[in-house]
């Protein structure tokens, strides 16, 4: 049995894809082969002995100690794009909510209970006059799956869109509306936009990307939206900017106590990907990715491992994780040859410090070769598979 430990609410549409004759899936399983989760933090969790993979049903992987997993040769997967539409819709909704002062107006309307409500609403409404999106400028930092969808939707709403992403992929560039203006720097976006939305992952490089200095570039009438991660923005600097009228409103999916106590914030409880459709899409994609890795050794959508696809050629498949250093492949193939095993197919790919090799060999008697492969200096882990035979 392959054991999968789950954390958080994972849609049954995905979980039901694990065949019950081969997989045991539960939230309280011990010594799992793989972990499937959403936002649960694994930073303080001891590493289970048999752990082979972690799949994040969602985009952000800052809750997973990715560097540590890489050191132990464990791939971390995510589901890029699977919840992008849900986030896009919430970003657009929040833009309208904030720009038309809908939440504050609604709150005030509720406070009229028991009074002459029809008369009172006509009196109070002047406090909540908003502006329209059409013709205003939306600045986007990050054109991944979500940023591109937000950009395209904003263009359709009549906004002018300016965006910055020095690492945009060819696939995302193809999907981006030709109307989107390309900015040469983040500050060019901050300085021109009426609304600014961030769609980048949280890493040590994006920690407090928006800080006191960058907030000074922003027009005081601007609204800043954060549906990415809390610490991409220095919230103390944002609170100061709001209090000093250097920023008009801050919309965030990652509230803190201080933000909840600050005027002109719109705080949501991390709802970006919380739709039935997104939860299903993420769970299905995560389970399929995980099964593929566990059953065939192939890798797709990993944040720390290279993409590796190799159709199964029969016989036994070795899946070898090794350090990305010279002469690993030479040692691996001569070890296999030393046991007189014929290689039918082989693929080797690397990503930064890690390399991953799949080798299909003809013969079934491979255990000695497997134990020798594990002893090669630089091999981090190695397993054998008979794909489609769990
Ligand atoms: C993500 O990283 O995909 C989103 O922030 C959603 O997180 P969640 O799965 O915990 O809702």
């Amino acid at each position: 049995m392959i054991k999968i430990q789950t954390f958080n609410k994972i849609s049954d549409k995905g979980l039901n894809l694990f065949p019950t004759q081969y997989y045991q899936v539960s939230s309280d399983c011990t010594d799992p082969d793989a972990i499937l989760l959403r936002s649960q933090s694994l930073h303080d969790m001891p590493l289970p002995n048999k752990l082979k993979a972690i799949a994040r049903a969602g985009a952000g992987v800052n809750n997973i100690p990715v560097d540590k997993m890489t050191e132990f040769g464990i791939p971390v997967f995510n589901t890029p794009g699977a919840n992008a539409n849900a986030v896009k819709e919430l970003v657009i909704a929040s833009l309208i909510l904030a720009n038309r002062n809908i939440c504050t107006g609604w709150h005030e309307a509720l406070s009229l209970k028991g009074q002459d409500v029809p008369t009172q609403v006509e009196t109070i409404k002047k406090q909540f006059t908003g502006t329209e999106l059409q013709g205003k400028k939306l600045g986007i930092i990050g054109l991944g799956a979500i940023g591109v969808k937000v950009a395209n939707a904003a263009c359709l709403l009549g906004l002018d869109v300016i965006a910055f992403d020095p690492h945009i992929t060819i696939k995302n560039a193809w999907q981006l509306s030709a109307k989107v203006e390309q900015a040469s720097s983040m500050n060019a976006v901050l300085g021109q936009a009426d609304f600014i939305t961030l769609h980048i992952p949280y890493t040590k490089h994006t920690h407090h990307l928006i800080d006191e200095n960058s907030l000074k570039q922003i027009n005081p009438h601007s609204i800043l939206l954060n549906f990415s991660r809390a610490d991409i923005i220095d919230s103390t600097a944002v609170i100061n900017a709001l209090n000093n009228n250097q920023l008009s409103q801050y919309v965030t999916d990652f509230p803190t106590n201080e933000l909840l106590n600050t005027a002109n914030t719109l705080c949501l409880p991390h709802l970006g990907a919380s739709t039935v459709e997104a939860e299903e899409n993420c769970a299905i994609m995560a389970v399929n990715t995980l099964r593929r890795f566990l059953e065939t050794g192939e890798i797709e959508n990993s944040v720390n491992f290279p993409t590796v696809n190799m159709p199964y050629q029969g016989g036994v498949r070795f899946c070898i994780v090794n350090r990305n250093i010279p002469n690993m492949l030479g040692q691996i193939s001569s070890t296999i040859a030393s046991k007189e095993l014929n290689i039918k197919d082989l693929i080797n790919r690397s990503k930064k410090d890690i390399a991953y090799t799949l080798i299909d060999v003809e013969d079934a008697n491979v255990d000695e070769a497997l134990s020798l492969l594990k002893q090669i200096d630089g091999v981090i882990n190695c397993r054998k598979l008979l794909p489609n035979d769990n």
Side-chain angles (χ1 to χ4, degrees):
M1 275 288 186
I2 301 175
K3 289 183 177 181
I4 309 288
Q5 183 174 19
T6 59
F7 292 93
N8 314 118
K9 181 179 164 232
I10 309 284
S11 164
D12 283 341
K13 283 260 165 64
L15 295 180
N16 291 340
L17 296 173
F18 285 117
T20 49
Q21 67 270 41
Y22 302 126
Y23 285 90
Q24 187 187 319
V25 183
S26 86
S27 57
D28 55 11
C29 95
T30 50
D31 213 9
D33 294 283
I35 289 174
L36 174 57
L37 81 170
R38 285 172 61 179
S39 284
Q40 169 79 29
S41 174
L42 298 187
H43 285 284
D44 297 325
M45 183 183 153
L47 199 65
N49 280 334
K50 280 170 40 196
L51 192 69
K52 296 176 187 65
I54 298 178
R56 163 57 158 120
V61 291
N62 58 312
N63 53 324
I64 301 167
V66 177
D67 290 345
K68 181 173 157 196
M69 293 305 134
T70 312
E71 256 174 57
F72 283 93
I74 296 170
V76 176
F77 299 97
N78 70 349
T79 59
N83 57 26
N85 192 63
V87 182
K88 171 201 82 181
E89 289 186 5
L90 194 61
V91 170
I92 298 295
S94 303
L95 199 53
I96 298 171
L97 286 173
N99 199 41
R100 295 294 298 269
N101 301 312
I102 293 171
C103 296
T104 39
W106 183 3
H107 195 247
E108 196 65 21
L110 285 173
S111 77
L112 300 176
K113 276 181 198 164
Q115 300 179 35
D116 174 6
V117 176
T119 309
Q120 286 300 313
V121 292
E122 295 308 324
T123 312
I124 64 167
K125 73 180 186 190
K126 56 181 171 297
Q127 299 168 50
F128 305 108
T129 305
T131 62
E132 295 179 23
L133 298 184
Q134 185 162 269
K136 303 289 184 318
K137 193 165 262 194
L138 174 67
I140 302 180
I141 312 293
L143 290 168
I146 298 171
V148 167
K149 278 193 187 296
V150 170
N152 293 350
C155 288
L156 292 172
L157 282 169
L159 281 142
D160 295 329
V161 180
I162 180 167
F164 177 64
D165 187 341
H167 307 296
I168 186 169
T169 63
I170 293 171
K171 185 176 161 218
N172 286 333
W174 273 105
Q175 283 166 6
L176 187 66
S177 165
K179 291 185 183 157
V180 175
E181 183 187 342
Q182 188 186 334
S184 56
S185 67
M186 184 176 86
N187 281 351
V189 174
L190 301 184
Q192 290 186 47
D194 302 295
F195 317 108
I196 297 147
T197 184
L198 300 153
H199 297 290
I200 50 177
Y202 176 69
T203 66
K204 54 181 182 277
H205 306 292
T206 60
H207 178 81
H208 287 188
L209 185 74
I210 301 292
D211 59 7
E212 193 186 339
N213 281 335
S214 41
L215 282 162
K216 285 186 186 141
Q217 313 292 322
I218 294 178
N219 294 309
H221 68 267
S222 298
I223 298 174
L224 177 64
L225 300 100
N226 181 7
F227 284 86
S228 289
R229 279 299 177 265
D231 287 327
I232 292 174
I233 293 186
D234 176 355
S235 61
T236 307
V238 164
I239 291 169
N240 290 338
L242 288 166
N243 289 339
N244 297 329
N245 298 322
Q246 289 167 344
L247 179 69
S248 155
Q249 292 189 62
Y250 180 50
V251 181
T252 180
D253 220 6
F254 310 97
T256 61
N257 212 17
E258 292 74 25
L259 284 165
L260 289 175
N261 283 306
T262 303
N264 300 320
T265 57
L266 171 48
C267 294
L268 301 174
H270 194 189
L271 285 182
S274 291
T275 66
V276 173
E277 294 86 344
E279 288 179 357
E280 287 178 6
N281 291 342
C282 289
I284 291 169
M285 192 166 167
V287 171
N288 285 334
T289 308
L290 202 50
R291 280 195 61 190
R292 191 159 163 214
F293 173 71
L294 294 169
E295 296 170 26
T296 74
E298 291 182 310
I299 296 188
E300 193 83 51
N301 297 326
S302 172
V303 296
N304 59 341
F305 268 57
T307 298
V308 178
N309 298 311
M310 186 173 87
Y312 177 51
Q313 297 297 332
V316 170
R317 170 167 286 192
F318 290 121
C319 311
I320 304 159
V321 181
N322 59 270
R323 307 215 178 281
N324 189 15
I325 50 177
N327 196 30
M328 290 307 302
L329 211 44
Q331 292 183 77
I332 289 169
S333 55
S334 50
T335 301
I336 289 173
S338 75
K339 290 290 138 198
E340 288 169 12
L341 298 175
N342 236 357
I343 293 179
K344 290 160 76 100
D345 208 353
L346 177 152
I347 187 168
N348 169 272
R349 293 282 181 274
S350 61
K351 186 168 187 168
K352 297 185 181 161
D353 295 337
I354 209 89
Y356 184 66
T357 307
L358 293 180
I359 303 181
D360 289 350
V361 293
E362 253 168 20
D363 310 67
N365 185 14
V366 294
D367 287 343
E368 278 183 38
L370 181 68
S371 94
L372 288 177
L373 285 169
K374 285 180 179 168
Q375 288 166 36
I376 298 174
D377 199 19
V379 167
I380 300 170
N381 66 48
C382 178
R383 65 191 169 117
K384 66 167 192 188
L385 285 175
L386 284 166
N388 308 321
D389 177 11
N390 294 288

